[in-house]
């Protein structure tokens, strides 16, 4: 779906004419969004993904410690 052309400035200072919901900045490689609401949604989604990854790796580390490291160390 093509939107009306709109000039949007990236955080690095690069200005792009957007006709889609987002494009990649040619200067720094970040996403430039047509609508600020989409940018906020992308930011919250990124926070969510990082949080889930940290929790999964933490849980795997906990399981490793409880099931593998502790019996080999003889503690418990």
């Amino acid at each position: 779906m093509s939107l009306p052309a709109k000039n949007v400035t990236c955080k690095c200072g690069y200005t792009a004419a957007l006709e889609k919901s987002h494009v990649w900045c040619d200067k720094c490689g970040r996403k430039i969004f047509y609508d600020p609401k989409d940018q906020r949604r992308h930011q919250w989604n990124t926070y969510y993904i990082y949080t889930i990854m940290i929790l999964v790796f933490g849980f795997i580390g906990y399981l490793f410690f409880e099931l593998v490291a502790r019996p080999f160390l003889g503690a418990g």
Side-chain angles (χ1 to χ4, degrees):
M1 181 170 85
S2 182
L3 300 168
K6 178 180 176 183
N7 287 332
V8 180
T9 304
C10 180
K11 291 180 182 179
C12 68
Y14 178 77
T15 302
L18 287 143
E19 293 180 355
K20 297 190 293 184
S21 62
H22 69 276
V23 295
W24 295 96
C25 178
D26 291 335
K27 190 173 177 183
C28 67
R30 292 183 185 141
K31 277 188 177 180
I32 305 172
F33 291 92
Y34 188 89
D35 188 9
K37 184 175 151 183
D38 291 337
Q39 184 174 4
R40 285 191 301 274
R41 185 179 305 138
H42 173 71
Q43 186 176 16
W44 279 106
N45 187 35
T46 303
Y47 292 153
Y48 175 75
I49 295 296
Y50 286 151
T51 302
I52 295 299
M53 286 175 52
I54 289 169
L55 289 173
V56 166
F57 285 126
F59 183 69
I60 290 171
Y62 171 76
L63 287 178
F64 174 78
F65 183 74
E66 288 294 324
L67 298 176
V68 177
R70 195 177 252 188
F72 280 126
L73 295 175

